Structure formats: structure tokens, C-alpha cells
Amino acid sequence: MKESLRLDRYLSQATGMPRSHALTHVRGGHVTVNGALVRDVATHIRVDADVVLLNDQPVQPFRPLVVALYKPPGVVTSTEVGASQTVMELIPQALRHRDLAPVGRLDRDTSGLLILTTDGALNHRLTHPKRHVDKVYIADLARELAPNAEERLARGIVLDDGPTLPAKLERLGPLRVQLTLREGRFHQVKRMMVALGSAVLQLHRARVGGLELPADLAIGQARVLTEAEIALLTA
Ligand code: URA
């Protein structure tokens, strides 16, 4: 969290209101900082120290929002309103902060754990290729993989956008595998499986970092993560 923020940004991030509304409130004389009326939106607020009131109500120092969604298949990972249903439409209205953004993407037909956050730094940490955050997928395959698949994946295989980092394959059945990746490229699991000779029929993400898909989430449901769960993401 930044230590100090411009007043309009602070109000916007704390409440989810657009900055233009924050500006109207400040100019309208609705906002005090440490008991003094402030009409300058450029005033800097020390996030952990200053007391900001909007219409006499405290504006809590904001905490970034981190949400887990059990994404169903058939929903696109996008914040844009379009013809298809998006993951944003599954987020409860109260959590639809305008800065809430998905952490990476799951394909339309993939189900499982999708994290969304207003915390740009956390988003970056979880998606940056150099950070190597584990992602665990369960894939149902059209064909059984050859006996050397574990070894090939552990060494890294070459895709059309370059070699993959070592990945761990565990067989859960003849046509069901668990794959742990440390990167997140476009259609990566599907392309890796095709390179090993099988199409993916169904794909599910079971874990991001150290966080399993929360067992209390039904498919299509989302909720705010606890501090302990957030810590697991980067553990
Ligand atoms: N790999 C894929 O191929 N698709 C996903 O949705 C996620 C990882």
C-alpha cells in the first residue's frame, strides 16, 4: 500500500467512487482531513495516519480488495462488457470496485480458481513471468500420455513461443493429469498437452501459489479472501 495519496485518489480507492465524484465532494466542502475542511484535491493523505471524513463519516483507510472466484466454464476473463458473460458479472455488486482486475486469465472453457484484485502490485507479483508463482491445473485428456511425459515436462518442452520452464506432471488416472506450472502463457496447458500428443477436453485450475480453490465456494461464487489466504498466494 502506498503511504500517501492525493485526496481524490484516496477517496476513490477507499470507496470505489470515480475520481470525478471525489472531486465534486471535495470542491463541495464535504470532506475534512484531521478535522479541517479541505477543498484541494491535490492534498496528500498519509494513508495510515490521517483521518478523512466524508459528510462527517469516516472513510476507512482502504485495504486492497482480493477476491477469489470459482470460475465456471463458459465465462470470459474480461472486464469489458460484451456479448459474452464475463467474470465481472459473477462478482457481487458490493465488490465491483472499478479497479478490480483479474490476475491473469483463464480460457472461456476453463473452470476453477481465478483471483481478482484492486492491488496492482499483488497482481504484478502473481503474474510476472520472473516470479514463478505455481499454478496447479487438472486436465482431462483425449489420449493417454506417453510414459516419458513426466520427464519431458520436467526438462521443459519447446512451444512456438519458446521453451517452457520445468513443469510437474502427476497422473490422477489414465486420462486425468495434474500439472503444476510456474508461468502463465496463453493457452499454455493446452499447448503443452498437444505437444505431448493429447488434446485437453476439460481444464480446471485448483491452486494459485499456496492457495487452493476455497472449498466453501460453489461454482460461480466469489468472496473476499482473508489476510491468511492472501499470504498463501505468494507463499
Ligand atoms: N492453460 C490453458 O491452456 N488455459 C487456461 O485457461 C489456463 C492455462
Side-chain angles (χ1 to χ4, degrees):
M1 191 188 300
K2 284 189 188 154
E3 284 180 354
S4 98
L5 284 176
R6 267 173 63 113
L7 179 54
D8 53 346
R9 193 175 279 276
Y10 176 92
L11 287 170
S12 166
Q13 291 200 5
T15 64
M17 71 170 71
R19 273 167 80 183
S20 57
H21 290 194
L23 189 90
T24 307
H25 281 301
V26 175
R27 297 221 171 119
H30 307 157
V31 178
T32 62
V33 178
N34 302 327
L37 189 66
V38 170
R39 288 182 190 268
D40 180 2
V41 286
T43 305
H44 268 261
I45 303 301
R46 292 164 301 158
V47 171
D48 293 324
D50 291 330
V51 176
V52 180
L53 302 185
L54 170 61
N55 292 326
D56 298 325
Q57 298 300 315
V59 177
Q60 299 300 336
F62 67 90
R63 279 167 168 246
L65 199 53
V66 188
V67 172
L69 168 69
Y70 185 166
K71 179 192 173 299
V75 176
V76 294
T77 308
S78 168
T79 51
E80 308 284 317
V81 178
S84 311
Q85 190 184 23
T86 71
V87 291
M88 286 301 167
E89 293 167 53
L90 297 172
I91 304 299
Q93 201 71 42
L95 301 180
R96 284 198 209 165
H97 192 288
R98 66 188 177 82
D99 291 336
L100 191 68
V103 174
R105 276 171 185 277
L106 290 177
D107 295 339
R108 181 202 287 263
D109 55 356
T110 301
S111 62
L113 178 58
L114 181 71
I115 305 296
L116 300 99
T117 184
T118 56
D119 184 342
L122 176 67
N123 200 330
H124 188 259
R125 223 179 309 146
L126 293 173
T127 50
H128 196 279
K130 294 232 162 72
R131 295 291 186 139
H132 301 168
V133 173
D134 280 359
K135 283 129 202 150
V136 178
Y137 296 92
I138 313 281
D140 287 328
L141 305 177
R143 300 178 56 160
E144 193 165 350
L145 299 180
N148 67 351
E150 284 85 344
E151 191 195 317
R152 288 184 63 191
L153 288 166
R155 266 191 275 124
I157 58 173
V158 178
L159 298 177
D160 52 11
D161 55 353
T164 62
L165 290 174
K168 185 172 168 202
L169 179 78
E170 290 161 78
R171 296 183 200 242
L172 305 178
L175 294 175
R176 176 168 284 193
V177 295
Q178 175 171 303
L179 190 65
T180 305
L181 300 187
R182 307 178 68 204
E183 53 188 340
R185 295 196 231 156
F186 183 64
H187 291 336
Q188 186 165 352
V189 173
K190 292 174 186 165
R191 290 190 295 137
M192 288 170 89
M193 292 300 110
V194 166
L196 294 177
S198 176
V200 171
L201 302 179
Q202 274 195 56
L203 188 59
H204 174 85
R205 184 155 69 189
R207 175 156 73 80
V208 173
L211 182 74
E212 308 270 351
L213 174 65
D216 62 335
L217 281 184
I219 192 159
Q221 273 188 340
R223 71 162 169 81
V224 172
L225 291 179
T226 63
E227 289 296 320
E229 288 171 325
I230 295 169
L232 284 175
L233 287 172
T234 49

